[in-house]
Amino acid sequence: LQTGNNDKYLRLWPEVSQAKTFLRQHNQESPLTGRWLLHRKGGDFRRWYGNQEYVLDWADDGREIKANPSARPQNTKLWFKEAVTWSHTSFSFGARYEPAGSTFNVEGPSYFSDDAVFATGLMCSAPVLYLMQLMNPTMHFLVGSVSIVPTPTTNQRTKQATRDNSSKAIRLAKTDWNAYERSWDFQSLPILTASSEPNPTLESSYTTWITQNRETVDEMKRLEEENNRLFIDAYG
């Protein structure tokens, strides 16, 4: 979607009433009952998960946007499906898993697959990053370039291994995203619940939280390196 006027039709999700924000995450055929729809719009460089920050004003089934000659509402039949997304404008290609339930902007293009988790792992791999740098020497990562990335032939064992690694990486990135108030799934600050001591202090909670973060970084590094090895072998 190109709205024709982002300042008018897009808001950060905390700016509007949650009661007026429509969530279509399970029933793809349920009627649109809210004015605001979840909307992905690229954002800062980030891999695996995150950057769900915006909502779209789609009042009266987008009547105003559809009437705007500067707008381009395209591929709306693919709205609300799970996908792989990335920031169209960024210093580096960073793919992210997008669960079902949102619409997408021209700055947050989408790659649709029967296995979005595996596809996210593929798009986050070193071979694909290398190919994207060859095809996109600028800061714009185009849909056309992503659409011609060759998918390697993988046996069932390799595909399951890369899918398992990708699923874990997505889960770690999601936990990190939800740890801050920028996420609509935020519950509480991790530093307040990190320590398992009966009477935790701020110091003990902070120490535990930092240790957990380091372990998460090490685990993410391990998962990415394993996926890179599998995909490099698959590409030959």
Side-chain angles (χ1 to χ4, degrees):
L1 171 67
Q2 181 174 301
T3 68
N5 190 339
N6 285 346
D7 290 339
K8 182 175 182 180
Y9 297 114
L10 297 186
R11 293 288 183 274
L12 292 170
W13 68 264
E15 294 184 87
V16 304
S17 168
Q18 187 177 15
K20 296 180 180 179
T21 303
F22 177 74
L23 303 177
R24 178 186 278 180
Q25 295 176 314
H26 304 295
N27 184 359
Q28 296 288 335
E29 304 303 323
S30 58
L32 297 177
T33 56
R35 171 180 175 179
W36 299 93
L37 309 181
L38 304 185
H39 191 68
R40 54 184 180 268
K41 189 183 174 292
D44 296 335
F45 173 78
R46 187 173 173 87
R47 289 157 57 86
W48 295 107
Y49 189 91
N51 286 2
Q52 294 110 338
E53 300 173 302
Y54 286 89
V55 288
L56 164 71
D57 186 353
W58 199 247
D60 297 325
D61 196 33
R63 178 176 54 83
E64 282 194 27
I65 293 178
K66 290 176 179 178
N68 185 342
S70 300
R72 288 193 297 117
Q74 298 182 132
N75 297 315
T76 56
K77 66 182 182 298
L78 295 173
W79 284 6
F80 311 114
K81 295 181 180 294
E82 69 171 351
V84 186
T85 188
W86 67 94
S87 299
H88 175 268
T89 306
S90 178
F91 68 89
S92 184
F93 184 70
R96 298 178 292 278
Y97 172 77
E98 184 68 32
S102 65
T103 61
F104 52 97
N105 191 275
V106 64
E107 283 294 327
S110 300
Y111 173 99
F112 297 94
S113 167
D114 292 335
D115 190 341
V117 172
F118 173 81
T120 302
L122 173 65
M123 291 298 162
C124 284
S125 69
V128 169
L129 177 59
Y130 174 73
L131 292 170
M132 292 303 294
Q133 289 171 335
L134 286 179
M135 292 186 288
N136 293 272
T138 67
M139 294 180 65
H140 298 286
F141 295 96
L142 309 177
V143 172
S145 299
V146 174
S147 69
I148 61 173
V149 168
T151 301
T153 301
T154 56
N155 58 41
Q156 191 58 39
R157 183 177 179 181
T158 298
K159 187 167 186 177
Q160 188 60 50
T162 54
R163 193 183 193 283
D164 289 345
N165 290 339
S166 301
S167 181
K168 293 175 184 176
I170 291 168
R171 186 167 64 250
L172 291 174
K174 181 178 182 179
T175 299
D176 174 70
W177 179 257
N178 292 342
Y180 300 91
E181 290 177 305
R182 64 194 173 188
S183 169
W184 53 61
D185 289 322
F186 171 81
Q187 297 294 319
S188 64
L189 290 170
I191 195 172
L192 300 180
T193 57
S195 179
S196 59
E197 295 181 5
N199 298 300
T201 63
L202 182 60
E203 181 181 12
S204 67
S205 295
Y206 180 76
T207 301
T208 303
W209 182 57
I210 289 298
T211 301
Q212 291 175 351
N213 284 342
R214 287 172 179 162
E215 291 172 350
T216 297
V217 170
D218 290 342
E219 177 64 4
M220 181 68 86
K221 183 173 183 289
R222 184 192 70 80
L223 292 169
E224 290 196 346
E225 288 176 345
E226 175 65 11
N227 257 12
N228 285 338
R229 182 185 65 79
L230 291 167
F231 278 118
I232 287 169
D233 289 345
Y235 274 108

